[in-house]
Structures are given as structure tokens and as C-alpha cells.
Amino acid sequence: MMLCLATGTKVLAFAVSTFTLSWTHSVQRTEWWERWEVTEAGIRPVEARVTSSGAGMEAPEGAVEEADGWHYVPHLPPQHQVFLGASGATVGGWTLCAGDSCQVVGATAGAPLALWSDKDCSHPPETRP
């Protein structure tokens, strides 16, 4: 399976089994980080960290505080698609790291970015938020 990312009219494909997403909260200016798995059933978050809490950034029940923030395991089933907002009003975009490369996506206002898994990224999500 491939990780697929739609950025407007462009679709990028990554041959990876895991990837990470990180971003900075627009109000609290604190980092949120997630590690995801790419499966045939969809993409699924398997680990997450938030550096501090406040303004919607509260660590969930069961989170463990470590030197770099609150760590926890998200309890979500595989997602068929995930949309990332691109308002342009935040500190920056989303940092997507797949394999040995990282790139910032959604740093400027625009259509939502879409993530999904597919054998060749030829079947983008049909439903937009």
C-alpha cells in the first residue's frame, strides 16, 4: 500500500508503511505530533504527543508526561481518508515525514489536503469536507 497525499490538483505517492504528521497549534503555539500506519484498511494513528496543554490541546486520559510532552496512543480505527485544513492563519503548515524525507504542506490558505492509502494512489477520496 502507498500513502497518498492530494494537494489541490497534484497527488503525491509515498511507498511507506508509517509516516508522521506534526503541526503547531494556532493559539497555544505548541507542537502536536502523530505517527500513523499505512494499511489496506486505511491509515491509522498509532502514537501521538502534545508538548503542553490548553486551548483544545489537552492530553487525553491515560497520557504519560515525559520530558518532551504528553505521550499517548490514539484509539481510532483505520481511516479511509483524513483531511488536513489549510487556513493560512496558523504558524505554519503540516510537516509530513514519510521515509527519509519531510515536507511542509498546507502552509498557505487553500483547499483541504487529503491523505489516504491505496495500491497506486489512483483512487482519491470522493467526499470533500
Side-chain angles (χ1 to χ4, degrees), residues 38-56:
V38 179
T39 71
E40 288 187 26
I43 57 176
R44 181 175 72 90
V46 294
E47 180 183 7
R49 177 182 70 236
V50 59
T51 55
S52 64
S53 61

Side-chain angles (χ1 to χ4, degrees), residues 51-68:
T51 55
S52 64
S53 61
M57 300 291 284
E58 292 79 17
E61 185 176 329
V64 176
E65 186 176 19
E66 296 182 16
D68 60 348

Side-chain angles (χ1 to χ4, degrees), residues 23-32 50-54 57:
W23 65 96
T24 301
H25 189 277
S26 60
V27 176
Q28 292 298 120
R29 305 290 196 251
T30 190
E31 183 188 34
W32 197 293
V50 59
T51 55
S52 64
S53 61
M57 300 291 284

